[in-house]
């Protein structure tokens, strides 16, 4: 670079507004080198939003290290501007064609082999490739608020830049196993205790930079060793192989179907049994296998799909949102209680209203028990139980909603009841408050129509258990204002949900597609498939459970009344014979009273068979392949209709709903992504065949699916507006 090309003054977002410093060299569009403060060269990466390792960052750091060495610097500090240290490789470059630049490995080699100390200065999060770069520095200092992790497993990968070999060398095999298979972000205090970082710095970014420079100066003055993590073998010598076997058994249930956790474990095994360079080869081979496979492609797709879902095309980014200082929830049942917990967990006071003291006491008792269970498991600190309960105020008077910024109604699914409640809320809620319904299927426009302010009404559909499930299906009414739409999404984010905005129709996106799957599952029971066979096909596909196990879990008697039961459905028969599901140990399955393990019940199978024969259904063998197609293809067809009607903004939003709310395995991306991978033409043809054979509205082919199949288009990539 010619000296005249180098800007000598620039502004840095990380240094506070207006702060200016002299800059010696702008090495690439995102990296600069500053040696004006001392003989310590400071390399700064500035690649918003998260300083990902895009090609120009790799090249810039590579050039910067070489230039600092050539310029005779005494030490080098690597720091990032903006909100975070390097948060990983640039995922958007994967599988693409980024311009050729220095490889990550080349850059890391220069850093690790530098003859002068290199210190990484970390704020925000050092994740994935970011942490792997920092592990090649000789020392690491981090702000007290910084976090550390190798979360590649969450996008179906393993750390492919030496992380699998270096992390266990620093923090030991057991911790590395846990960190790499969970992707957990370790707080600075833990990272320091584990030896991952060498100094914790209190204060702001300026303090971090100053501390890193003085650490580097001290390293020079005291001739501290140039520590290469690759050479530290004490933590990976004589590791008991049983550790790996035990760990595999421990995570088996949680990671069923996923390749990446197992591949991460294999790399750590390699670290514990092979020399560093051999371990790196194992890492490279397994990384490439994952990177080019369908699971990681699906998980990377899901990562961006989730972020994309936040964007609503006709709502400006700067639309003002309601600042929720206080929330209200109507109903303290399973749903209402779970919703209230979300607000309390986020530190927002919440008023919960029930119709009488007994129901209120019961509901809040369940909430307390949930918190106590979390505390006893160690997932929240013991003192959080009282703190969070202290944020929840119970009442039997709806007038207590008067000062709430948002009220969410969570009573049962009855339109008349909801209308009467919204009529009352209209009288009580303060101007500008959001009035939300947690309906799972009803018409939000009809609910809004009874109020004098339909612009304040929106659907916010939580999933049970609402304190656990990530999905929040927000349902935009015809009159919902921009502020209310933007606020619903912002509030979802604030309380840790994955929000998706959908339109009004029966069942919205998730349940509408689920209805189709349920209808076909019931039909196949009549043709001779057993509940266990149907459930098993979905389980093998990767769902946590199938429709019949799910019904047993929810309770077969929901909405069932003995006096009105007429043996006209399988479900009625089951209830009439005393089967209530898991809660009394008998449902579609029999449940072991101790272990709750399910076994198929021959009595139930016979009951279903007889019921079907009595109604004239011929019995036959239904293959697993047919079961899979008949369960999943009508969902895809319905998804395409939902997309065509504009109920979902984009195909990927449908996938976000199914992955986060209905247990669709993330390594298959979601129904739209999966349909694309199977081939839309093949699916469209099968739907036509089944439609002809079986009939039924859910087999009527979606015109959008037909069109995309003919054009070679994509459902996941389809976007409205
Ligand atoms: C890796 O490192 C592989 C190496 O081992 C081996 C290489 C050989 N790339 O989440 P946010 C975008 S794999 C590209 O809303 P937050 C994101 O799409 C990587 N883009 O913010 C969004 O864009 P937009 C390992 C990325 O504050 C914007 O940044 N690292 C990347 O809630 C803001 O994101 C990871 O897996 C990326 N790596 O959370 C970390 N990361 O505004 C993945 C983010 O256009 N990232 N973007 O929608 C995260 O976990 C979170 O983004 C983070 C910030 C915690 C950093």
């Amino acid at each position: 670079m010619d000296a005249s090309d180098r800007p000598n003054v620039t502004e840095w977002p990380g240094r506070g507004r207006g702060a200016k410093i002299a800059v010696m060299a702008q090495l690439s569009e995102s990296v600069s080198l500053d040696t004006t403060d001392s003989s310590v060269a400071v390399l700064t990466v500035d690649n918003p939003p998260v300083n990902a390792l895009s090609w120009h960052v790799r090249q810039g750091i590579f050039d910067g290290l070489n230039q600092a060495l050539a310029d005779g610097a005494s030490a080098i500090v690597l720091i990032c501007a903006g909100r975070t240290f390097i948060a990983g490789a640039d995922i958007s470059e994967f599988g693409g064609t980024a311009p050729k630049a220095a490889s990550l490995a080349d850059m890391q080699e220069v850093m690790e082999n530098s003859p002068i100390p290199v210190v990484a200065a970390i704020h925000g999060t050092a994740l994935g490739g970011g942490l792997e770069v920092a592990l090649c520095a000789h020392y690491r200092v981090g702000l007290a608020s910084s976090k550390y992790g190798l979360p590649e497993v969450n996008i179906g990968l393993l750390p492919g830049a030496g992380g699998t070999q270096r992390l266990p060398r620093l923090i030991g095999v057991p911790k590395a196993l846990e960190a790499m298979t969970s992707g957990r972000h370790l707080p600075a205090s833990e990272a320091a205790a584990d030896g991952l970082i060498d100094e914790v710095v209190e204060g702001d970014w300026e303090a971090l930079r100053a501390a890193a420079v003085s650490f580097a100066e001290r390293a020079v003055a005291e001739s501290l060793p140039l520590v290469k993590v690759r050479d530290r073998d004490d933590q990976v010598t004589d590791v008991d192989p049983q550790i790996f076997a035990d760990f595999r058994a421990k995570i088996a249930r949680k990671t069923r179907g996923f390749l990446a956790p197992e591949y991460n474990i294999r790399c750590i095994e390699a670290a514990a049994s092979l020399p560093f360079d051999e371990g790196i080869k194992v890492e490279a081979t397994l990384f490439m296998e994952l990177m080019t496979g369908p699971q990681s492609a699906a998980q990377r797709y899901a990562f961006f799909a989730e972020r994309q879902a936040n964007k609503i095309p006709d709502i400006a980014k700067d639309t003002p949102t309601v600042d929720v200082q206080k929330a209200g929830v109507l109903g303290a049942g399973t749903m209402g209680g779970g919703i209230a917990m979300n607000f309390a967990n986020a530190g927002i006071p919440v008023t919960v209203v029930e119709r009488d003291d007994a129901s209120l006491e019961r509901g809040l008792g369940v909430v307390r028990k949930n918190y106590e269970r979390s505390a006893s498991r160690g997932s929240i600190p013991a003192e959080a139980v009282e703190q969070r309960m202290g944020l929840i105020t119970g009442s039997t008077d709806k007038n207590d909603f008067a000062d709430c910024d948002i009220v969410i109604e969570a009573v049962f699914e009855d339109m008349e009841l909801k209308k009467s409640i919204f009529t009352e809320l209209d009288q009580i809620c303060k101007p500008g408050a959001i009035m939300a319904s947690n309906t799972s299927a009803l018409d939000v426009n009809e609910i809004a129509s009874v109020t004098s302010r339909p612009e304040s009404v929106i659907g916010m559909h939580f999933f049970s258990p609402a304190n656990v499930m990530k999905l929040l299906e927000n349902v935009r009414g015809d009159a919902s204002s921009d502020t209310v739409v933007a606020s619903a999404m912002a509030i979802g984010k604030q309380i840790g949900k994955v929000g998706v905005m959908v339109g009004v129709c029966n069942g919205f996106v998730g349940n509408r597609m689920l209805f189709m799957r349920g209808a076909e599952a019931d039909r196949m029971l009549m043709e001779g498939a057993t509940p266990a066979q149907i459930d098993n096909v979905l389980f093998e596909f990767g769902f946590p459970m199938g429709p019949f196990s799910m019904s047993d879990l929810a309770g077969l008697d929901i909405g069932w009344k003995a006096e009105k039961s007429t043996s006209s459905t399988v479900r009625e028969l089951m209830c009439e014979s005393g089967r209530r599901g898991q809660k009394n140990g008998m449902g579609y399955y029999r449940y072991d009273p101790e272990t709750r393990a399910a076994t198929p019940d021959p009595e139930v199978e016979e009951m279903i068979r007889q019921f079907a024969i009595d109604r004239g259904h011929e019995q036959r063998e239904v293959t697993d392949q047919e079961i899979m197609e008949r369960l999943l293809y009508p969902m895809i067809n319905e998804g395409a209709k939902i997309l065509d009607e504009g109920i979902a903004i984009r195909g990927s939003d449908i996938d976000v709903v199914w992955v986060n709310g209905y247990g669709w395995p993330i390594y298959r991306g979601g129904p739209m992504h999966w349909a694309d991978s199977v081939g839309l033409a093949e699916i469209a043809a099968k739907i036509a065949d089944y439609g002809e054979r079986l009939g039924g509205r859910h087999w009527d082919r979606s015109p959008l699916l037909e069109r995309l199949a003919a054009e070679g288009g994509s459902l996941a990539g389809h976007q409205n507006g």
Side-chain angles (χ1 to χ4, degrees), residues 320-339:
T321 54
V322 173
D323 178 19
V324 177
Q325 299 284 336
K326 190 170 178 194
V329 177
L330 181 62
T334 317
M335 232 344 150
I339 296 172

Side-chain angles (χ1 to χ4, degrees), residues 447-702:
I447 296 172
S449 71
V450 300
T451 71
S452 63
R453 40 178 156 164
E455 68 280 4
S456 296
V457 177
I458 194 159
M460 290 177 84
H461 178 203
F462 290 78
F463 288 71
S464 192
N467 51 316
V468 177
M469 295 295 290
K470 281 275 174 209
L471 181 64
L472 178 60
E473 200 181 33
N474 288 316
V475 188
R476 180 179 189 169
D478 290 345
S480 306
S481 72
D482 287 4
T483 288
V484 167
V485 169
S487 300
M489 294 300 285
I491 293 163
K493 201 161 186 189
Q494 206 181 347
I495 61 174
K497 298 292 169 197
V498 174
V500 180
M501 187 58 69
V502 305
V504 174
C505 68
N506 184 29
F508 316 127
V509 168
N511 281 343
R512 180 167 155 187
M513 288 165 71
L514 186 70
F515 296 154
M516 303 305 139
R517 193 181 84 178
E520 210 53 27
D522 288 345
R523 247 182 176 187
M524 284 188 281
L525 271 192
M526 294 299 97
E527 292 171 33
T530 65
Q533 193 191 358
I534 293 171
D535 281 349
N536 200 44
V537 167
L538 286 185
F539 185 76
E540 289 300 323
F541 186 83
F543 281 92
M545 63 181 85
F548 301 106
S549 303
M550 181 64 105
S551 298
D552 276 358
L553 182 66
L556 294 178
D557 56 346
I558 295 179
W560 176 77
K561 292 209 166 57
E563 58 283 8
K564 289 193 178 159
S565 194
T566 56
S567 314
S568 60
T569 63
V570 168
R571 200 172 170 127
E572 283 189 341
L573 273 187
M574 304 275 287
C575 289
E576 288 164 18
S577 65
R579 291 177 165 81
R580 300 285 179 270
Q582 273 203 27
K583 59 185 162 194
N584 77 342
M586 294 193 309
Y588 286 99
Y589 299 87
R590 285 205 164 257
Y591 294 89
D592 184 295
E594 297 289 307
T595 62
R596 289 182 42 227
T599 41
D601 185 342
E603 261 179 53
V604 169
E605 288 172 9
E606 183 49 31
M607 193 194 293
I608 294 170
R609 208 177 70 85
Q610 206 48 58
F611 178 85
I613 291 171
D614 291 349
R615 275 161 182 71
H617 295 283
E618 211 172 288
Q619 299 295 286
R620 68 185 174 92
E621 192 71 32
V622 187
T623 66
D624 286 356
Q625 179 68 21
E626 179 176 343
I627 291 175
M628 187 195 70
E629 290 171 0
R630 285 178 60 184
L631 292 175
L632 302 184
Y633 289 1
M635 283 174 51
I636 288 156
N637 199 30
E638 200 64 24
K641 290 177 189 171
I642 284 169
L643 205 46
D644 215 3
E645 291 164 25
I647 298 293
I649 296 170
R650 37 183 104 73
S652 58
D653 286 4
I654 296 177
D655 287 342
V656 176
V657 166
W658 269 83
V659 165
N660 291 286
Y662 294 83
W664 185 285
I666 192 169
Y667 58 79
R668 293 190 200 270
M672 302 292 104
H673 176 88
W674 181 72
D676 285 344
S677 71
V678 172
L680 298 186
E682 181 182 329
I683 292 179
K686 278 276 168 62
I687 289 175
D689 288 349
Y690 281 122
E692 213 165 283
R693 174 148 78 83
L694 304 163
R697 200 193 67 77
H698 55 291
W699 288 113
D700 291 347
R701 247 181 1 175
S702 144

Side-chain angles (χ1 to χ4, degrees), residues 106-151:
D106 291 343
M107 180 255 269
Q108 287 173 298
E109 199 180 320
V110 176
M111 186 180 287
E112 196 166 47
N113 292 324
S114 157
I116 57 172
V118 179
V119 178
I122 299 161
H123 73 299
T125 45
L127 298 177
L131 180 57
E132 292 175 291
V133 168
L135 287 174
C136 290
H138 304 118
Y139 295 98
R140 287 156 292 283
V141 299
L143 276 187
S145 55
S146 59
K147 291 192 172 149
Y148 303 81
L150 293 177

Side-chain angles (χ1 to χ4, degrees), residues 35 53 100-101 174 184 194 215 332 356 405 412 479 484 542 560 614 618 646 657:
T35 44
L53 285 164
K100 231 179 152 31
R184 185 168 72 89
D194 290 343
F215 193 110
D356 55 52
D405 304 294
F412 36 77
V484 167
W560 176 77
D614 291 349
E618 211 172 288
V657 166

